[in-house]
């Protein structure tokens, strides 16, 4: 196939976030105990984001490798946030 017959594919359907523990450093000290308790009890409700695949959410090298394998040249990344369709247990509690 000639190069001018190819399409450039950019995904705009990516949501990413860090490992739960990585957010701790950004919290005010008054919330640390509550956060630690929540994080210890947290169970990921998304079967496709459990070990060994959980890292794809924050491992840039892994993500780029996955995209290359799918023929995707780039992507727009949105931060993970809770939507109305998200399971309630997936959403962090609001600050007191």
């Amino acid at each position: 196939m000639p190069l001018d017959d190819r399409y450039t594919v950019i995904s705009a359907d990516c949501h990413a976030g860090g490992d739960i523990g990585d957010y701790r450093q950004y919290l005010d000290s008054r919330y640390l105990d509550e956060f630690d308790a929540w994080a210890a009890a947290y169970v990921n409700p998304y079967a496709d984001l459990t070990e060994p695949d959980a890292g794809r959410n924050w491992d840039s090298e892994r993500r780029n490798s996955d995209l290359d394998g799918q023929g995707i040249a780039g992507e727009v990344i949105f931060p993970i946030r809770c939507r109305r369709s998200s399971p309630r247990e997936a959403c962090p509690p609001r600050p007191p």
Side-chain angles (χ1 to χ4, degrees):
M1 172 185 304
L3 289 178
D4 60 350
D5 286 348
R6 296 183 183 199
Y7 290 95
T8 299
V9 178
I10 299 175
S11 169
D13 189 29
C14 177
H15 296 81
D19 183 48
I20 289 175
D22 292 345
Y23 291 101
R24 191 178 192 278
Q25 65 183 321
Y26 299 103
L27 297 174
D28 190 276
S29 61
R30 65 185 163 172
Y31 297 117
L32 293 179
D33 289 340
E34 185 178 350
F35 175 82
D36 291 341
W38 173 80
Y42 180 78
V43 175
N44 189 337
Y46 299 104
D48 66 328
L49 290 177
T50 57
E51 296 298 333
D53 289 326
R56 76 170 195 245
N57 215 18
W58 58 85
D59 181 343
S60 297
E61 225 172 272
R62 159 80 191 270
R63 185 69 187 148
N64 285 332
S65 176
D66 289 350
L67 291 172
D68 287 345
Q70 297 170 18
I72 297 174
E75 70 182 337
V76 178
I77 302 173
F78 299 95
I80 288 181
R81 61 183 175 77
C82 292
R83 300 174 304 277
R84 289 184 184 173
S85 61
S86 297
R88 184 173 190 172
E89 62 271 11
C91 301
R94 296 192 182 274

